[in-house]
Every structure is written in structure tokens, then in C-alpha cells.
Amino acid sequence: MILKRIGKILSNKTNKALDSLENPIEHLERAIRVKEQLLNKTKQESASLLGKPNQKDKKIAELKEEILKYDARIKEAKKQNKTEIGIKCLTKKKELEENLKTIEKEREILVGNATKIEAKIKKLEEDIRLLKDKKDSLKGRYS
């Protein structure tokens, strides 16, 4: 019984001595720095990614305009009974429509990725805020 008490006392004193050597504020500051570096890196990645859907939008608009032009050419060829020209225009129009579908899918993927990155940025900002709040609350205890 006495040996158990002595063991607990020694264990408590050892833990207290180790706690005094460790500074939780330093650990939090290190964690904050790591999160801030990750946040900056993520923001840089998002900056390059966020402009890409706009580029795809421009390409989509251009393709739709081209498709309309080929529609008009097909109608004109039909009026003038120029089937060979009409077939060539129809083939080109189909090719443009396939390109359009591909680019629209790529745009959807880019928007999805941008949304994920924005959510990651918000989470990192929230994590940093929580760590800073925790650090401020510990300053009173360890100052």
C-alpha cells in the first residue's frame, strides 16, 4: 500500500517535471506555422486553378458560335442543293459539338476541384483560428 502511494507520488512528480519542460504554447505556434504554410500553398494553387473555368467558358462560347456558323452554312448548302458542301459542314459541325462536350466536362471537373480547394482553404483558416484561440487561452496559464 505504501509502495503504491510512493509510486504514484513519484509518477506525478515525474509528469509534472516533464510538463514544465514542455511548453504547449510552442507546440501550438509550430502547428499554426505549419497550417499557415499549407494555407499559403493551397491559396497559390487555387489562384491558378480558379482562372481555368473562365478560360473554358470562353472556349465554349467560341465553339457554340462556330457551330451556329456551320448550321447556317448547312442550311445555305441545302437551299442551293450543294450536298457535298453540306456534308462537309455537317461533319465539321459534329466534330465541333464533340469538342464542346469534352470542354464542358473538363470545365465541370475544374469547377469541382475549385470548390474542393475553396472548402480546404476555409477549413485551414478555421483550424488556424482555433489553434490561435487555444494558444491565447494557454498564455494565461503558462505566462
Side-chain angles (χ1 to χ4, degrees):
M1 185 94 156
I2 293 176
L3 290 177
K4 281 185 182 180
R5 278 189 78 189
I6 293 173
K8 285 182 181 180
I9 291 171
L10 288 175
S11 175
N12 288 337
K13 290 193 182 254
T14 305
N15 286 336
K16 192 172 185 178
L18 288 174
D19 287 345
S20 69
L21 293 176
E22 283 185 347
N23 187 348
I25 294 174
E26 289 175 5
H27 291 292
L28 288 171
E29 287 173 344
R30 193 175 318 116
I32 290 169
R33 277 193 308 275
V34 168
K35 294 269 184 186
E36 286 175 337
Q37 289 171 348
L38 184 58
L39 177 64
N40 290 334
K41 182 180 174 188
T42 305
K43 282 183 176 181
Q44 288 173 349
E45 289 174 10
S46 74
S48 66
L49 186 68
L50 293 177
K52 289 184 181 180
N54 293 337
Q55 293 170 351
K56 296 293 181 184
D57 287 339
K58 289 177 185 176
K59 185 66 176 171
I60 288 169
E62 290 171 6
L63 284 172
K64 286 181 177 180
E65 192 175 310
E66 279 290 308
I67 289 169
L68 290 175
K69 286 179 185 176
Y70 276 95
D71 266 342
R73 289 179 186 162
I74 291 167
K75 288 178 185 174
E76 189 62 34
K78 194 174 187 181
K79 280 183 188 176
Q80 297 176 3
N81 284 333
K82 296 183 177 179
T83 25
E84 192 174 308
I85 293 173
I87 291 171
K88 287 180 183 178
C89 290
L90 186 60
T91 304
K92 183 65 176 175
K93 179 187 169 196
K94 292 291 181 190
E95 182 183 310
L96 291 171
E97 287 173 338
E98 294 208 12
N99 288 344
L100 177 64
K101 287 179 187 176
T102 301
I103 291 173
E104 286 174 336
K105 286 179 185 175
E106 289 172 357
R107 185 192 178 285
E108 285 178 33
I109 291 168
L110 288 171
V111 168
N113 289 344
T115 303
K116 288 177 188 175
I117 288 178
E118 287 171 356
K120 184 177 179 181
I121 287 171
K122 286 181 183 177
K123 170 125 178 50
L124 285 169
E125 289 172 339
E126 179 63 16
D127 289 350
I128 290 168
R129 187 190 62 76
L130 291 172
L131 287 170
K132 285 181 177 180
D133 289 347
K134 191 171 184 177
K135 178 182 136 187
D136 291 340
S137 72
L138 287 176
K139 276 187 178 177
R141 270 195 252 165
Y142 289 92
S143 298

